[in-house]
Amino acid sequence: MPPGLAPAVSEPLPLEEQQTLFDTLQEALMMAETRYQTSLTAKTEEDNPSFKQVDALFEGLQDTLYRLWACKSSFMVQAAEALANGSRNPLWRLPYGQSGVLTFFLQLIASKEDVGTGLLLHALRLIGNSCADTDENRTIVVKGNYISAIIQHLLNPELIQIVIPVIYNICIDFEPAQSQLASSKIVYIFLKLLREDSFKDNENLLDFIYELIELTTEQEQGIELSPDETISLLVDLAAHKNVAHTASRFSCIATCSMAYLDNKRFQDICITKYMVADILSMLSKSLNFDTEWPSTDDIQVLAQVQLRINQTLAEISGAPLFAEYYPLGSDLSRMLRSWLQRTEDQLQICSCVMLGNLARSDETCQAMVRDLNIHRDLISIVTSDARGAVLHAALGFLKNLAIAGDNRLYLGQAGIIPAVSRLWEYETVPQVQFAATSIVRQVIIASFENVSHLLEISPGDEHHGTYLSQLLSLFEKTDSTPIRTEIGRIIASICRTLIPKSHEQNEKADATIKHLFSIHEALPSQ
């Protein structure tokens, strides 16, 4: 804690002297008010009283306040109220800081003495008003480390409605104060108070609180110093609480949650405490705000939140620890599998990425295809009218599954080649066009059956050509070197599969080779 006022040690002053001190203080304030008013209405510089003269009126106030405090004067509350009222005048802010009045009240709120709530209320008012838009006074607060002294009064229900605006006035647009506030574990403190409904009678304070949480979360040291429980409080608030019925507050808490989950310590906590399902709930909940955000700006904010959540989930599911706590048969994986059949883009993308990260071994990949038929849900996505981002995620997952064991055979039987063929013309999203081409090469490797599927007549080809004909046509049209290269590798893979079998006098292979070159006459030149 910063230094507080020393306890009273002197003999009490007679009431008359206390009255005199208070009258002197009031007189100084009235004179200052008169001079400031004159300065505001002065027409010429000669008519304008010197601001140094005005500031001089405040110079003795700090000493007066110390004397009233030392004798525990009954006038202390009145003096604090008068000064707090004066602090509403923007022109009085700098003089309060320069004369030591602000420092006195900072020391007062940090005092270990039993200070009455009324006196603390006016002290906090003065501090908050003096620091509004006044970096010089904010610097006094920060240098003395008085933010921690202010925060302690959040525990007093009678002061909470004034403490929040005071903190806000000190911190808004002033990074040093935000940094000190973050180091004071304010996010954890606010979240605890929110969970305990400490602001149910002060609804108007919530916007201040959420903005302060967002500001301090941007301070890295605040995240580093936060207790482990902070992440569970954030996620619970975003996923399960009705964050005061507003989408903007939800957005704030969701974004802050993701900022904490950029930190490995909190990622590990999230996994080991089985909190990942709550983050999935957070993503699902974010979709409910779509119809409540009428403006384009609001919709963009929501989209950014969803993107951030999905990026975080991708990183979490990519951690080695994830598969240990959320194996293929877990409730979480079942939820993700059900999301493959949903129509919401973000849920489908999330499912493809997270299940794809879970498919890290041949055994898991084969179980996904052989036992769970996940590839069929993915092929349904590929043949749907899903957006490019969803198609790209599904194709990436399918390509991953195609690597293991005999999964290529299952994918071929499920119609992977006809499914992706329509995407070879998907020029609006080149990444999708490339992925749809690349997966063909993956599924035909050493697979006579899938090569045969590739050489089947395509119902969608107006010239009654094969699926390979479509790829060869794409080869001629595209300017994409990666796609042209991939098609070349597909042709090479076909030859590597068929020619050895032909040398073994395999009749089917011989027939397929003849079919290949008779239908695709331009193939040798390509």
Side-chain angles (χ1 to χ4, degrees), residues 285-306:
K285 185 176 180 179
S286 73
L287 302 174
N288 298 332
F289 291 107
D290 276 346
T291 56
E292 299 176 20
W293 290 37
S295 75
T296 302
D297 288 345
D298 287 339
I299 292 172
Q300 289 175 347
V301 169
L302 179 61
Q304 288 300 312
V305 169
Q306 293 166 349

Side-chain angles (χ1 to χ4, degrees), residues 225-237:
L225 294 171
S226 287
D228 290 354
E229 191 188 356
T230 306
I231 189 60
S232 60
L233 290 169
L234 276 167
V235 171
D236 182 64
L237 183 62

Side-chain angles (χ1 to χ4, degrees), residues 132-428:
D133 302 317
T134 310
D135 288 353
E136 293 88 346
N137 289 349
R138 291 167 170 172
T139 300
I140 293 172
V141 176
V142 171
K143 282 188 175 180
N145 194 33
Y146 281 103
I147 285 180
S148 57
I150 296 169
I151 288 173
Q152 69 175 336
H153 296 294
L154 285 169
L155 299 176
N156 187 336
E158 296 181 69
L159 294 177
I160 201 167
Q161 80 280 2
I162 187 66
V163 174
I164 301 299
V166 169
I167 296 172
Y168 185 86
N169 280 357
I170 295 170
C171 293
I172 196 69
D173 298 325
F174 192 62
E175 196 278 336
Q178 294 170 18
S179 177
Q180 190 171 108
L181 186 67
S183 299
S184 300
K185 303 180 178 66
I186 193 63
V187 172
Y188 175 74
I189 294 169
F190 277 156
L191 292 172
K192 290 279 282 186
L193 292 170
L194 285 168
R195 187 172 70 175
E196 295 162 5
D197 288 329
S198 299
F199 305 103
K200 61 183 178 181
D201 298 325
N202 295 285
E203 174 74 17
N204 57 319
L205 295 177
L206 289 175
D207 286 335
F208 288 124
I209 291 164
Y210 284 105
E211 188 171 352
L212 286 168
I213 288 174
E214 191 167 20
L215 282 174
T216 49
T217 297
E218 295 171 2
Q219 303 292 324
E220 187 175 344
Q221 73 274 26
I223 295 177
E224 291 290 344
L225 294 171
S226 287
D228 290 354
E229 191 188 356
T230 306
I231 189 60
S232 60
L233 290 169
L234 276 167
V235 171
D236 182 64
L237 183 62
H240 303 300
K241 303 288 184 185
N242 188 349
V243 271
H245 310 287
T246 70
S248 60
R249 292 173 185 170
F250 167 82
S251 172
C252 165
I253 295 300
T255 301
C256 292
S257 300
M258 299 310 107
Y260 272 78
L261 288 171
D262 285 340
N263 182 289
K264 188 179 183 304
R265 169 166 66 103
F266 288 109
Q267 280 187 14
D268 290 347
I269 292 169
C270 181
I271 294 172
T272 57
K273 298 296 183 182
Y274 295 99
M275 292 165 52
V276 179
D278 290 326
I279 303 178
L280 293 181
S281 297
M282 194 188 306
L283 179 62
S284 181
K285 185 176 180 179
S286 73
L287 302 174
N288 298 332
F289 291 107
D290 276 346
T291 56
E292 299 176 20
W293 290 37
S295 75
T296 302
D297 288 345
D298 287 339
I299 292 172
Q300 289 175 347
V301 169
L302 179 61
Q304 288 300 312
V305 169
Q306 293 166 349
L307 178 62
R308 184 78 187 276
I309 295 173
N310 254 335
Q311 288 172 338
T312 301
L313 285 168
E315 188 172 347
I316 288 174
S317 61
L321 203 59
F322 179 78
E324 179 182 341
Y325 284 82
Y326 297 98
L328 187 56
S330 66
D331 290 341
L332 186 83
S333 69
R334 280 192 285 273
M335 180 190 296
L336 290 171
R337 280 158 43 203
S338 72
W339 282 10
L340 289 174
Q341 299 172 11
R342 297 282 292 269
T343 56
E344 298 88 347
D345 294 352
Q346 295 300 327
L347 301 189
Q348 288 182 314
I349 291 171
C350 176
S351 178
C352 288
V353 173
M354 293 187 72
L355 288 173
N357 283 341
L358 196 60
R360 294 199 164 196
S361 68
D362 284 359
E363 181 183 359
T364 301
C365 288
Q366 288 178 282
M368 284 182 170
V369 171
R370 183 184 60 246
D371 303 330
L372 303 178
N373 285 320
I374 286 177
H375 64 296
R376 293 189 178 275
D377 290 327
L378 294 171
I379 290 173
S380 294
I381 292 174
V382 169
T383 57
S384 73
D385 58 355
R387 288 173 55 242
V390 181
L391 295 172
H392 190 257
L395 289 167
F397 190 8
L398 280 166
K399 187 175 179 181
N400 190 18
L401 292 176
I403 297 172
D406 56 357
N407 278 0
R408 288 188 292 275
L409 181 60
Y410 284 94
L411 265 62
Q413 292 171 346
I416 183 66
I417 290 175
V420 299
S421 64
R422 74 182 189 91
L423 300 179
W424 297 335
E425 303 296 325
Y426 205 86
E427 297 176 355
T428 53

Side-chain angles (χ1 to χ4, degrees), residues 12-28 30 61 64-65 67-69 71-76 78-79 82:
L13 283 177
L15 189 59
E16 294 79 6
E17 291 188 38
Q18 295 179 35
Q19 179 74 58
T20 300
L21 287 171
F22 178 63
D23 290 344
T24 301
L25 182 144
Q26 280 192 308
E27 183 180 352
M30 286 189 290
L61 294 185
T64 300
L65 290 168
R67 293 181 67 187
L68 290 172
W69 167 262
C71 68
K72 297 185 177 179
S73 172
S74 59
F75 290 99
M76 192 70 242
Q78 293 172 266

